[in-house]
Amino acid sequence: MTRVRPWEADVVLSKARLGVLLNARAKRVGKRVIQRFAARIDAPDLFVTHDLQEAERAVDALLNGGYDGIWLGGGDGTITHALNLMAERRRAEAFHRPLPPIGVLALGTGNGLAHLLGAHDPEEDLRYGLFEEPRASVELPLVDCDGFAVPFGSIGYDARVLNDYASMTASSDARWARSLAGYVAAVATKTIPAELGRPPAHYRVCAVGRSSAIDRETSEEVPLPPDAVLYEGPARAVLFGTSPYYGYGLKALPQARKREDRFQIRVSTAPVLHLLSNLPSIWRGTTRTPHFHDFLVEQVRITSDRPEPAQLAGEALGEREAMTLRLGPERFPLIAPGRLRS
């Protein structure tokens, strides 16, 4: 973990005392970005981390530093890991106070949480944090999966896209491969050929406790019996989350923030070619199709008849045949420097 000293002359004075964590391995955290942040943040308050151990030490320092606000720089994986470390410290009673307001700096490949919060330009957003009183715009719960809490995740073909994209970026040094164009290329050259030659897996999705279905035409809730079987049959993917957005502003879970006491489950039976033919409306979260089955749940058990790719907050989880998910107890106070998106 490196504490960085400012070496630019344009140091600005701050109204609020902020602590900032930057993941040095994130896509957009290079030397130049670190230098510019160091010019605006006092050296003891800026933490540049290179691995999980450094991140743990940085989170401890941030929680116990008496900061008015904490800003986290990286992609969804970076932000999610940091939030989990904070929640872990609270569970262990290593940090007794409420969490300070937390800002997100969009510096990764996938920035779904940043999109939700209206964060887009990291330097402008940090400047907002310096001169505005840190104030949470939303208290966001996460979905707990085997003790790790995430804003979104999935099992099935959209996780396969992530794995195919990771494979492409690992084998190419081209800048475009780490952009939206890389995702499109991964889908076209890897995911679609694999999915066309493969029948869908058989899923069983069972609620634990209360749940409701979302009417496809009206978006209204339809209460279901306790412990209802939400879906059983062939499907291509099961998505879940408390935040509507994946990276690049893809609104994959448009009902995710409909209720504070539940999270969204989306079962997709749509073939990949159907998704591609409706991509603009799917991206906006406005598609109404019989291939999407949407629910709001407190807890759920997902099982598949074969191992399928899974992802949590945009990070590959390997293949899974079962996942148990529940709404996490912690509410994270997040700052929206732009307009909070629903």
Side-chain angles (χ1 to χ4, degrees):
M1 177 174 62
T2 307
R3 287 189 173 182
V4 183
R5 295 184 180 277
W7 58 80
E8 292 187 3
D10 60 336
V11 179
V12 297
L13 298 177
S14 166
K15 284 177 58 178
R17 182 165 177 260
L18 303 182
V20 178
L21 182 154
L22 299 179
N23 176 7
R25 301 180 67 179
K27 175 187 174 184
R28 295 166 60 192
V29 182
K31 182 178 179 180
R32 183 176 178 182
V33 168
I34 293 172
Q35 289 176 350
R36 294 186 69 83
F37 274 64
R40 291 165 171 81
I41 300 295
D42 290 339
D45 303 328
L46 178 60
F47 301 85
V48 180
T49 67
H50 301 80
D51 55 39
L52 185 58
Q53 289 71 34
E54 290 186 355
E56 289 177 352
R57 294 196 294 271
V59 166
D60 285 338
L62 289 166
L63 287 179
N64 293 294
Y67 293 106
D68 300 311
I70 293 173
W71 287 76
L72 306 173
D76 288 314
T78 298
I79 310 308
T80 299
H81 278 284
L83 295 180
N84 274 269
L85 289 170
M86 293 178 185
E88 180 184 298
R89 299 306 189 259
R90 282 173 57 80
R91 287 194 300 269
E93 298 188 349
F95 181 74
H96 301 278
R97 300 181 299 281
L99 292 173
I102 300 165
V104 172
L105 302 167
L107 289 166
T109 302
N111 294 291
L113 273 177
H115 194 83
L116 169 67
L117 300 170
H120 62 284
D121 184 315
E123 290 190 50
E124 287 297 321
D125 293 338
L126 181 64
R127 192 173 292 116
Y128 168 91
L130 287 168
F131 289 101
E132 296 292 332
E133 179 184 353
R135 183 177 303 166
S137 303
V138 60
E139 294 203 346
L140 188 72
L142 302 181
V143 178
D144 183 282
C145 177
D146 299 330
F148 189 72
V150 295
F152 62 85
S154 66
I155 180 171
Y157 59 18
D158 78 315
R160 186 179 304 281
V161 171
L162 178 71
N163 290 342
D164 291 341
Y165 172 70
S167 173
M168 173 169 287
T169 57
S171 61
S172 173
D173 292 329
R175 187 172 181 178
W176 67 266
R178 290 165 174 78
S179 67
L180 181 57
Y183 270 103
V184 173
V187 170
T189 63
K190 295 176 179 288
T191 310
I192 291 177
E195 287 293 324
L196 288 177
R198 187 170 195 264
H202 188 281
Y203 285 92
R204 181 179 172 88
V205 184
C206 299
V208 178
R210 296 175 297 176
S211 64
S212 55
I214 301 296
D215 184 276
R216 188 177 299 116
E217 297 302 321
T218 67
S219 297
E220 296 297 319
E221 286 188 72
V222 180
L224 299 173
D227 303 332
V229 176
L230 305 179
Y231 181 87
E232 186 166 14
R236 296 287 182 175
V238 182
L239 293 67
F240 53 87
T242 57
S243 176
Y245 296 99
Y246 281 17
Y248 302 109
L250 169 60
K251 197 172 186 178
L253 295 161
Q255 306 294 336
R257 297 191 61 237
K258 192 176 183 72
R259 293 181 60 146
E260 293 183 356
D261 61 343
R262 298 186 191 179
F263 62 95
Q264 183 179 354
I265 290 284
R266 167 165 283 183
V267 181
S268 174
T269 62
V272 171
L273 293 181
H274 176 82
L275 297 180
L276 293 177
S277 64
N278 292 277
L279 191 57
S281 61
I282 288 174
W283 209 275
R284 295 190 301 269
T286 59
T287 297
R288 299 183 188 275
T289 170
H291 287 295
F292 289 168
H293 308 270
D294 293 325
F295 308 91
L296 298 176
V297 302
E298 298 173 320
Q299 187 170 337
V300 72
R301 174 75 173 168
I302 304 168
T303 56
S304 169
D305 66 345
R306 70 185 184 211
E308 286 288 293
Q311 59 92 7
L312 295 177
E315 295 194 342
L317 190 63
E319 293 191 333
R320 301 285 289 270
E321 292 180 79
M323 302 178 81
T324 298
L325 312 168
R326 67 182 182 93
L327 191 69
E330 187 78 64
R331 264 53 177 174
F332 295 92
L334 302 180
I335 301 168
R339 180 177 62 84
L340 182 68
R341 295 182 172 97
S342 59

